[in-house]
Amino acid sequence: MRIQPANRRLGILLSGRGSNFEAITGRIASGKLNAEIAIVVSNVESAPGLERARVGGLPAVYIASQHRPREEFDREVVEILRDQNVSLVVLAGFMRIVGPVFLNTFPYGILNIHPSLLPAFPGTEAQRQALEYGAKFSGCTVHFVDDALDGGPIILQSAVPILSDDTVETLSARILKEEHRIYSEAIDLVLSGRCEIQGRRVVISL
Ligand code: GRF
């Protein structure tokens, strides 16, 4: 099945720093990524990423997620995304699991980036996990989101070495640089209709 979003309008969901979001806006601004940020949504009111969006003049909203049933939160966010005519949802450090309401509204329409070479080291603190495990390489993965934690079909990965004097901080910085590069590349591949799902595989056409 070929994935072809209806338009190039992105909905960014974030909970924190927002450096991936910023890298994506940078690519758009420089003309390297043909896309438009329709809306930025954060479930954390104090998220620096939300502030960055506002400073950049982008539509940005805070939707509270704490002490609320997941479905209620999901419905509210999905409604906003639909109102903004979003066709691709980009999770950029969004610290919540997206539920069935989301997945059913955007089938193969939600992307995530994870700071490890999946399926190794899913979940939180992936860089620390890799370091403590003693892996010699780690990296990052952009994947479609499905109902498995960090488990959907992989679009792009980038590997980096783990050096003997690495700390979580130095490794995270090395990986983050690659995250900033491949997230925009993966978004472009999806928006350009170059991704075909074959079982678990995402086959990319030239
Ligand atoms: C990144 O490491 C990303 O891989 C993970 O959350 C972090 C978000 O960082 N999902 P930022 O908010 O984009 O700077």
Side-chain angles (χ1 to χ4, degrees):
M1 177 186 40
R2 183 166 296 282
I3 308 302
Q4 182 60 77
N7 61 44
R8 288 178 169 264
R9 289 174 65 77
L10 308 179
I12 307 273
L13 271 55
L14 54 79
S15 307
R17 180 174 59 178
S19 74
N20 275 287
F21 153 63
E22 209 173 31
I24 293 163
T25 55
R27 294 288 170 117
I28 294 173
S30 67
K32 290 184 187 134
L33 174 61
N34 176 12
E36 190 185 346
I37 297 189
I39 183 92
V40 177
V41 178
S42 176
N43 66 321
V44 176
E45 199 168 15
S46 59
L50 198 56
E51 184 56 22
R52 286 179 194 210
R54 291 188 174 129
V55 168
L58 292 167
V61 290
Y62 158 64
I63 311 276
S65 60
Q66 265 188 336
H67 316 300
R68 285 180 79 182
R70 175 184 313 286
E71 199 181 314
E72 190 187 296
F73 170 81
D74 282 6
R75 280 194 194 287
E76 192 175 343
V77 178
V78 160
E79 199 173 312
I80 288 172
L81 296 170
R82 292 178 86 155
D83 278 355
Q84 296 297 325
N85 201 16
V86 163
S87 70
L88 190 62
V89 180
V90 175
L91 308 186
F94 184 60
M95 302 306 285
R96 269 182 79 86
I97 292 173
V98 299
V101 169
F102 249 107
L103 295 170
N104 295 337
T105 309
F106 296 100
Y108 292 105
I110 309 172
L111 306 186
N112 184 43
I113 188 154
H114 182 77
S116 76
L117 295 175
L118 291 170
F121 312 122
T124 57
E125 296 206 78
Q127 303 94 331
R128 180 182 301 281
Q129 291 185 54
L131 196 62
E132 289 179 355
Y133 191 87
K136 299 298 185 195
F137 284 88
S138 191
C140 48
T141 303
V142 181
H143 63 93
F144 287 108
V145 173
D146 66 10
D147 57 4
L149 176 70
D150 299 324
I154 291 169
I155 303 165
L156 285 180
Q157 292 186 305
S158 178
V160 304
I162 299 180
L163 308 178
S164 48
D165 60 352
D166 262 336
T167 61
V168 173
E169 289 69 32
T170 58
L171 176 59
S172 299
R174 193 174 304 122
I175 292 172
L176 193 63
K177 202 168 162 215
E178 291 305 296
E179 292 187 36
H180 293 167
R181 183 175 64 81
I182 69 168
Y183 215 172
S184 291
E185 285 180 20
I187 291 168
D188 186 49
L189 289 174
V190 175
L191 292 179
S192 305
R194 290 174 58 194
C195 295
E196 191 177 326
I197 307 286
Q198 295 181 7
R200 267 212 57 89
R201 299 182 65 210
V202 178
V203 177
I204 293 169
S205 55
L206 292 174

